[in-house]
Amino acid sequence: MGRYTGPKNRLARREGQDLGLKTVGSKAHASLLRRINIAPGIHGQQRKRRKPSEFGLQLREKQKAKRIYGLLEKQFRRYFTIARKKKASTGESLLQALETRLDNVVYRLNLVPTRAAARQLVSHGHIQVNGRKVNIPSYAVKKDDIITLSDKALKIPVITKLLEDKNPNLPSWLTRKGPVGKVLNIPKRDNIETEIDEQQIVESYSR
């Protein structure tokens, strides 16, 4: 099954929360916030959300995580398999791997409005890591890596507007001065601002 290309607001409403798929401040994002608690479909307004089973909860968390980070099942399972082999907590290792993807870091540095935009920017060769162009969205950044934008990317209107914010709200493991970002540390679970119950995901794959 390929990557979902339908309405992104539908995905967020299915989960009942904002997944960061729409640009904050846009009409589409405002529309989502108005309808976030209404399930998608023609009967969404009348339909009550049924209490899911344990299996259902585990599946929903996995689906939510895949949608937030824009991954297919095969990609997501690969991250889980690697995380399970580490000595640290499997759930925390999984989230660390997802958070340190280059496309996610570009998004977390507030250089673009969505992860999808970050993935496109990376794929088109507009991102450099330590002075070298990297066009692989899944590239894993490391502590002390320096992230910069190409000259062409700096002229993109949405990026220019975001760079006007001199005090962007960044996670504690990242810092940014103008268009230059730096990875201060690999994030611990407490530093990962994503509403995901990773233990449900671990249990889902452990069945």
Side-chain angles (χ1 to χ4, degrees), residues 18-42:
D18 185 1
L19 303 179
L21 304 177
K22 289 291 184 179
T23 302
V24 175
S26 67
K27 289 183 179 179
H29 186 255
S31 173
L32 168 64
L33 295 183
R34 285 196 302 271
R35 308 183 70 194
I36 194 70
N37 291 316
I38 301 174
I42 57 174

Side-chain angles (χ1 to χ4, degrees), residues 18 20 49 55-56 61 63 69 72 81 124 141 166 175 179 187 190-194:
D18 185 1
R49 294 183 187 274
F55 173 76
E61 284 303 306
Q63 288 293 94
Y69 292 101
L72 302 175
T81 300
H124 289 179
V141 303
K166 304 303 179 185
T175 188
D190 292 345
N191 307 128
I192 298 175
E193 300 172 1
T194 300

Side-chain angles (χ1 to χ4, degrees), residues 46-74:
Q46 293 82 25
R47 193 166 72 233
K48 290 185 178 180
R49 294 183 187 274
R50 289 178 293 181
K51 188 175 181 180
S53 63
E54 183 180 356
F55 173 76
L57 285 171
Q58 293 168 1
L59 182 62
R60 286 262 56 82
E61 284 303 306
K62 187 169 71 170
Q63 288 293 94
K64 184 167 66 175
K66 288 193 294 184
R67 287 165 176 171
I68 287 175
Y69 292 101
L71 302 178
L72 302 175
E73 172 62 27
K74 186 177 179 180

